[in-house]
Amino acid sequence: MLKINNLHASIEDKSILKGLNIEVKAGEVHAIMGPNGAGKSTLANIIAGKEDYEVTNGTIELNGEDISELAPEERAHNGVFLSFQYPVEIPGVSVTNFIKTAINETRKAKGLEDMPAKDMLKMIREKSELLEIDRKFLSRSLNEGFSGGEKKRNEIFQMAMLEPKLAILDETDSGLDIDALRIVANGVNKLKSKDNAVVVITHYQRLLDYIVPDFVHVLHDGKIVKTGDASLALELEAKGYDWIKKELV
Ligand code: ADP
Ligand code: MG
Ligand code: MG
């Protein structure tokens, strides 16, 4: 699914990623943890194709294809989803209308007609039931006055509707309360399948009480310096990151 090899990247001439390797296969859930400033959000943004970063070395492959030259929209059309891609408030545009447009734009980019309204409605009904999202929420203006939990609900709903191959959830928000954590975790658990992969970026071990990752990686100083199973997250929670830094010297 995703294969990153020797990725080096910088922003404003500051080197941030320094030879990062990771491989994520279909059906897997990976967690990326690490201290603040390690480069976690940088990695997520680079996979999604945000243009502020300069990739100076290495490759990013999605299903065997090098995507590093593609624009963010093209990556999205190829099945890459990054949470908080659409954090904008759009008064007058509902949660549902926004996602309808996004889906039809993706189809258009692939040379397909708009999804028939009946199919769209069916999909909205199925996904919102799966995620226990009520109708009132679907008709609200996008992100307008949304609480932290509602923003998460909207993100997870977008992810459910877009059915990405690779979903990257960057849980940077320090305001994530327990409800928001549960919404994210339930969503991931319900949407994961043998055909997709999920990468959850977090420095909260707590999130991983609800999402059990197949692999946990520690990102430190621009590199993955340790990989383990879910128990590594508990070890990090108990011991912090310093012992890993010490192992490195
Ligand atoms: P993390 O998500 O692991 O906390 P980030 O990827 O956000 O880390 O940041 C990695 C490093 O890159 C930090 O030192 C941060 O200050 C720097 N950085 C991130 N974005 C920018 C930017 N737009 N301009 C300059 N430095 C940045
Ligand atoms: Mg940070
Ligand atoms: Mg971050």
Side-chain angles (χ1 to χ4, degrees), residues 36-37 39-42 170-172 201 203:
N36 227 326
K40 303 182 296 298
S41 296
T42 299
D170 186 4
E171 300 308 329
T172 48
I201 297 175
H203 48 219

Side-chain angles (χ1 to χ4, degrees), residues 128-213:
S128 57
E129 274 170 18
L130 177 72
L131 298 171
E132 296 168 45
I133 291 173
D134 69 40
R135 275 166 188 282
K136 247 196 225 139
F137 180 76
L138 295 176
S139 59
R140 283 184 60 185
S141 278
L142 193 75
N143 285 320
E144 204 182 9
F146 277 16
S147 68
E150 286 166 342
K151 283 183 185 149
K152 289 288 141 188
R153 189 163 280 139
N154 177 50
E155 259 177 50
I156 293 294
F157 179 64
Q158 289 179 349
M159 174 177 152
M161 291 292 291
L162 292 167
E163 300 183 323
K165 289 185 206 146
L166 174 68
I168 304 165
L169 306 174
D170 186 4
E171 300 308 329
T172 48
D173 195 341
S174 53
L176 271 191
D177 59 18
I178 199 83
D179 279 351
L181 285 179
R182 282 210 184 102
I183 289 164
V184 172
N186 284 338
V188 168
N189 291 333
K190 283 181 174 166
L191 297 172
K192 69 179 183 188
S193 79
K194 64 176 181 22
D195 302 315
N196 63 26
V198 184
V199 175
V200 183
I201 297 175
T202 183
H203 48 219
Y204 299 103
Q205 188 278 326
R206 226 166 36 148
L207 180 61
L208 306 178
D209 285 340
Y210 304 102
I211 300 174
V212 180

Side-chain angles (χ1 to χ4, degrees), residues 31-247:
I32 298 181
M33 305 184 76
N36 227 326
K40 303 182 296 298
S41 296
T42 299
L43 174 64
N45 290 335
I46 286 176
I47 297 169
K50 290 237 174 100
E51 274 135 13
D52 316 342
Y53 304 90
E54 194 191 351
V55 173
T56 52
N57 206 345
T59 53
I60 306 170
E61 283 175 30
L62 186 72
N63 292 319
E65 223 185 296
D66 188 350
I67 60 164
S68 41
E69 298 297 318
L70 299 184
E73 310 77 55
E74 294 172 305
R75 298 187 200 203
H77 298 151
N78 278 306
V80 177
F81 173 90
L82 174 61
S83 63
F84 273 127
Q85 239 172 340
Y86 313 114
V88 280
E89 287 189 16
I90 314 186
V93 175
S94 66
V95 168
T96 355
N97 279 331
F98 184 82
I99 197 66
K100 280 181 190 169
T101 306
I103 285 177
N104 283 331
E105 273 172 11
T106 304
R107 290 173 65 92
K108 197 152 119 199
K110 292 176 180 161
L112 299 170
E113 303 274 302
D114 279 3
M115 186 184 282
K118 189 163 66 72
D119 296 353
M120 185 75 84
L121 278 176
K122 184 165 173 267
M123 192 176 181
I124 289 170
R125 196 180 319 118
E126 283 171 6
K127 302 290 187 183
S128 57
E129 274 170 18
L130 177 72
L131 298 171
E132 296 168 45
I133 291 173
D134 69 40
R135 275 166 188 282
K136 247 196 225 139
F137 180 76
L138 295 176
S139 59
R140 283 184 60 185
S141 278
L142 193 75
N143 285 320
E144 204 182 9
F146 277 16
S147 68
E150 286 166 342
K151 283 183 185 149
K152 289 288 141 188
R153 189 163 280 139
N154 177 50
E155 259 177 50
I156 293 294
F157 179 64
Q158 289 179 349
M159 174 177 152
M161 291 292 291
L162 292 167
E163 300 183 323
K165 289 185 206 146
L166 174 68
I168 304 165
L169 306 174
D170 186 4
E171 300 308 329
T172 48
D173 195 341
S174 53
L176 271 191
D177 59 18
I178 199 83
D179 279 351
L181 285 179
R182 282 210 184 102
I183 289 164
V184 172
N186 284 338
V188 168
N189 291 333
K190 283 181 174 166
L191 297 172
K192 69 179 183 188
S193 79
K194 64 176 181 22
D195 302 315
N196 63 26
V198 184
V199 175
V200 183
I201 297 175
T202 183
H203 48 219
Y204 299 103
Q205 188 278 326
R206 226 166 36 148
L207 180 61
L208 306 178
D209 285 340
Y210 304 102
I211 300 174
V212 180
D214 300 297
F215 297 95
V216 173
H217 308 276
V218 180
L219 207 169
H220 169 64
D221 195 22
K223 274 187 280 217
I224 303 278
V225 295
K226 198 169 182 72
T227 294
D229 61 16
S231 68
L232 177 57
L234 294 169
E235 202 175 351
L236 291 168
E237 174 77 355
K239 298 178 12 192
Y241 291 105
D242 284 349
W243 63 282
I244 289 180
K245 294 178 193 168
K246 281 185 196 122
E247 271 184 10

